[in-house]
Amino acid sequence: MLDVPVPWMFPGPYPQTRFSLLLLNLEEYYFEQHSANHIQHKGSQSERKIRGSLKICSKSVIFEPDAISQPIIKIPLRDCIKIGKHGENGANRHFAKTLSGEISLIFSQVYFIKEHNIVAPYKIERGTMEYVFELDVSGKVEDVVETLLQLHRASCLDKLGDQAAMITAILQSRLARTSFDKNRFQSVSEKLHMECKAEMVTPLVTNPGHVCITDTTLYFQPLNGYPKPVVQITLQDVRRVYRRRHGLMPLGLEVFCTEDDLCSDIYLKFYEPQDRDDLYFFIATYLEHHVAERTAESYMLQWQRGHLSNYQYLLHLNTLADRSCNDLSQYPVFPWVISDYCSAELDLSNPGTFRDLSKPVGALNKERLERLLTRYQEMPEPKFMYGSHYSSPGYVLFYLVRIAPEYMLCLQNGRFDHADRMFNSIAETWRNCLDGATDFKELIPEFYGEDVSFLVNSLRLDLGKKQGGQLVEDVELPPWAQSPEDFLQKSRDALESDHVSEHLHEWIDLVFGYKQKGRDAVEAHNVFHPLTYEGGVDLNSIEDPDEKVALLTQILEFGQTPKQLFVTPHPRRITPKFKSLPQTSSYNASTADSPVSPGEESFEDLTEESRTLAWSNITKLQLHEQHKIHKEAVTGIAVSGNGSSVFTTSHDSTLKMFSKESKMLQRSISFSNMALSSCFLLPGDATVASSSWDNNIYFYSIAFGRRQDTLMGHDDAVSKICWHDNRLYSASWDSTVKVWSALPAGTTGAQRLQFELLAELEHDVGVDTMSLNAASALLVSGTREGAVNIWDLATATVLHQIPCHSGTVCHTAFSPDSRHVLSTGEDGSLNVIDVQTGMLISSLTSAEPQRCFLWDGNSVLSGSQSGELLVWDLLGAKISERIRGHTGAVTCMWMNEQCSSVITGGEDRQIIFWKLQY
């Protein structure tokens, strides 16, 4: 199992240049920059020029000096009193033309940032001041002043909605006047597919520009040329692409060039959903040819079977649920799993060490929950239990302030939080989440990664002093952690522990699953503010611009609930401790492993090793020999214990006995003129049973060479029969599966059987196939209308009915561990169903029906309508191998216990013997 935790999640390196978009306000745009001088003490003897660049932004003017000893200057446009060419007003007006290279700003407030390149809270100077900036290109002064005056008017509008509308109009006008520079194409032979306007999303800020996609490359060209003139991604490198919500609107698109990393290569926000969708489908169509699509269900199957760690699975669920490290309102969310932050040693074998994963953080403290529920009952609609969310930009940066101080300063208008409210101690933070009136936050992936930098003040930031006088430095660790590295290692160990593996599905139900919304959420005490949910508000339907801006701001700052991925209970993980099914039904006792002697266990281990080796080489299956022994399609195969005799049934109404050693047909038996549908050998290899379309089941004595019993048990054709522990199971087109006890009727040599009906499993329509699990405690049946039914045989009740095929179900079978059921149908799909929950967790589609199959839980060997054998990698969601075999449909299959030998029957009337070539 590959598990490589990723370091700090933010995309790209920590800002290396002094200027970054983080110096802007939230929802502010950076338009353009000009080389310039800041003229200090203009007109006096102490006049001096500071070299740098002047940046025009939608709500401020920023001057970045070249000398890092000088602070960056930020002047909010709303605080400007007068903007113009220097000298065009007052006494110096007649000098205006000669001084046209200079811009004058008179304002009441200015921010000084990163003096000596030190990240610290912004310094503010208030009072009426004038700053003069001299542009290198004097001819641009008119345009710059005009732009500043226009933006100043927007900033001074009373209503936020009007401000946003005017700034948006200015931005769209700029975008409309420009287009993508085709000279940036990597090759002259590239063919343009589409071009549109969009914004590149990074944490807290976005950057407008033009998106362009060709037949080979995706480009983004920022309007302002920052941080570089063009960002490009070669489509051949793309591995995943996701449509995203951004501000609860369907406008986002995130592109990954990696399989497992949570950090994308680019996140784009479009102005029109149609542009987003067109680009998505173009990239997705390109990917169809070389990348398998991943769904929550396919990852679930990999996780259940131990091919993904808990950490990896949570990363994938976050990605699929719109969580992105580029969007702090939807940053990946991870659970608190440890509840003991006081002990000297961390005991992962003690259940008391762990947090109850079946409850949200807000419900972990009973007394606090009672207070919240009292308020909830008295609250008018729409009701919510928690006034804050478990994940928000503020919470993410609370944890990451030591490595992302500029993000925190951006979020909090140039200030750090009060020292006593900072992330000072793991234990104190956990205690506050348990007891605080408004603190219900979960964790972020960094707590289970390998990069300790978020716990250490390695940048030597001045984060303030606590009330006791202590400086805020490194995060205080629990007593059981010897170092930050040890803390993260033990946190990872806890996340991957058996206890968490057995209960993680409960937390997934709360955050990504069926307990996220509706009545189940209320019963689980898991109800947050309506604005945090997808579909909670339709921003397009809100006409008042002020209300719209206020709602959007609230959505972005309050945090958002992940997109719901599952609407039924999430299956639990298969752990070595839990080989039997979860204790939820009467059938579980009989599925537990029976005790065996050490000798038998050793033999079982060898057999299991042989099976594992065989299935890992199943693509190397080779045709050994083939024999045409029937006049119509073969329908069933049974093989004697020593492998010497092969029994087959056929639509030609005969049961045949074929000698594998002499390669000769030894017997041909006909019970009626109707087709036979299946067969099996009773223990002892003395009797073979066959089911018939004439509604009967026939028992043939091999030793005496005659029919010894006939069971007339159904009102229509018998489609399938099974045998286990003196019980016969029969499926029929009369819409039933019947369970019979079979006891010897006398002591004659022929050993006649007496049948007693024990149970009748009623279906709505005819049953075409069925099979038992290894312990014969469960039965799965498939109907002609596409339903798969899982039955508890101890109570003769249906546990789950899953309508998962659009036509007849061809074949069903349990995995060896009884955790999953696989079904194939005439619709060409292979569906994996979780036995515990009845959830359809994986669905693969082939171009033709797969009539029969064998599987080990991970890989499938199926027989197709065209006669090919297909090897499927369920976890990789792909076909691994196609093996040519029959000239008509493959209709039945048999495999020996070691999984090294296979026999198939087909519509071409042949049986084919296959062997593995290691």
Side-chain angles (χ1 to χ4, degrees), residues 294-308:
R294 292 295 193 182
T295 62
E297 289 77 16
S298 67
Y299 285 127
M300 181 204 295
L301 184 62
Q302 292 187 63
W303 171 74
Q304 269 198 293
R305 306 202 70 82
H307 293 259
L308 283 179

Side-chain angles (χ1 to χ4, degrees), residues 570-839:
H570 190 288
R572 73 189 309 159
R573 191 170 195 187
I574 302 168
T575 57
K577 196 173 171 183
F578 282 82
K579 290 185 181 176
S580 63
L581 285 157
Q583 305 299 313
T584 56
S585 175
S586 59
Y587 60 72
N588 291 294
S590 59
T591 62
D593 293 344
S594 57
V596 292
S597 69
E600 290 173 318
E601 189 173 38
S602 173
F603 179 76
E604 283 294 323
D605 288 346
L606 288 172
T607 305
E608 188 57 40
E609 192 175 317
S610 166
R611 290 177 185 141
T612 303
L613 180 63
W615 275 102
S616 66
N617 288 278
I618 201 73
T619 56
K620 299 173 184 173
L621 203 64
Q622 291 191 359
L623 192 152
H624 184 58
E625 56 189 69
Q626 56 197 96
H627 304 277
K628 188 175 288 188
I629 60 173
H630 281 282
K631 293 180 181 178
E632 290 187 43
V634 182
T635 57
I637 301 171
V639 181
S640 60
N642 61 11
S644 62
S645 297
V646 178
F647 297 86
T648 56
T649 52
S650 168
H651 282 166
D652 65 11
S653 78
T654 63
L655 169 68
K656 306 272 190 184
M657 179 177 171
F658 181 84
S659 171
K660 192 176 176 189
E661 293 170 356
S662 65
K663 299 179 174 45
M664 297 286 288
L665 187 63
Q666 293 185 320
R667 297 187 196 179
S668 181
I669 307 102
S670 182
F671 302 113
S672 74
N673 60 359
M674 298 285 280
L676 299 182
S677 55
S678 67
C679 62
F680 63 76
L681 275 164
L682 270 68
D685 289 353
T687 304
V688 61
S690 304
S691 56
S692 172
W693 284 7
D694 67 3
N695 310 356
N696 299 330
I697 301 165
Y698 297 99
F699 294 84
Y700 174 80
S701 170
I702 299 168
F704 288 86
R706 67 171 184 254
R707 183 175 73 192
Q708 69 183 38
D709 285 299
T710 302
L711 175 60
M712 295 179 282
H714 287 276
D715 299 325
D716 205 337
V718 182
S719 54
K720 186 74 180 286
I721 52 174
C722 303
W723 179 274
H724 186 268
D725 198 19
N726 289 325
R727 288 192 178 179
L728 170 68
Y729 303 83
S730 58
S732 169
W733 295 352
D734 67 5
S735 306
T736 67
V737 172
K738 293 184 178 181
V739 184
W740 313 82
S741 70
L743 299 171
T747 56
T748 61
Q751 281 289 308
R752 293 181 62 81
L753 296 168
Q754 180 178 326
F755 295 96
E756 179 187 347
L757 183 62
L758 296 178
E760 190 169 328
L761 313 180
E762 294 187 2
H763 297 67
D764 297 330
V765 293
V767 183
D768 271 271
T769 184
M770 59 139 189
S771 61
L772 301 166
N773 75 331
S776 298
L778 302 173
L779 181 144
V780 58
S781 58
T783 71
R784 60 180 49 179
E785 289 189 356
V788 173
N789 305 276
I790 301 173
W791 299 82
D792 177 357
L793 291 174
T795 59
T797 55
V798 66
L799 298 173
H800 307 291
Q801 185 173 21
I802 308 101
C804 56
H805 292 279
S806 58
T808 299
V809 180
C810 297
H811 193 181
T812 58
F814 287 91
S815 57
D817 59 13
S818 298
R819 291 284 180 164
H820 297 115
V821 160
L822 178 66
S823 65
T824 59
E826 284 186 347
D827 57 3
S829 63
L830 284 78
N831 294 328
V832 181
I833 297 160
D834 182 78
V835 172
Q836 177 200 351
T837 62
M839 180 188 286

Side-chain angles (χ1 to χ4, degrees), residues 392-413:
S392 69
Y395 288 161
V396 173
L397 295 176
F398 167 83
Y399 291 127
L400 296 180
V401 65
R402 288 167 177 79
I403 49 172
E406 290 195 70
Y407 292 89
M408 179 63 88
L409 293 172
C410 176
L411 185 69
Q412 300 202 150
N413 298 314

Side-chain angles (χ1 to χ4, degrees), residues 52-72:
S53 62
L54 188 69
K55 302 170 196 300
I56 310 303
C57 307
S58 59
K59 297 180 181 178
S60 61
V61 175
I62 295 175
F63 180 76
E64 179 189 18
D66 292 345
I68 63 170
S69 60
Q70 295 290 324
I72 293 172

Side-chain angles (χ1 to χ4, degrees), residues 869-886:
L869 298 189
L870 302 185
V871 179
W872 300 77
D873 173 9
L874 286 181
L875 305 180
K878 63 183 179 182
I879 296 173
S880 304
E881 192 68 48
R882 294 177 178 270
I883 306 168
R884 295 190 62 167
H886 294 267

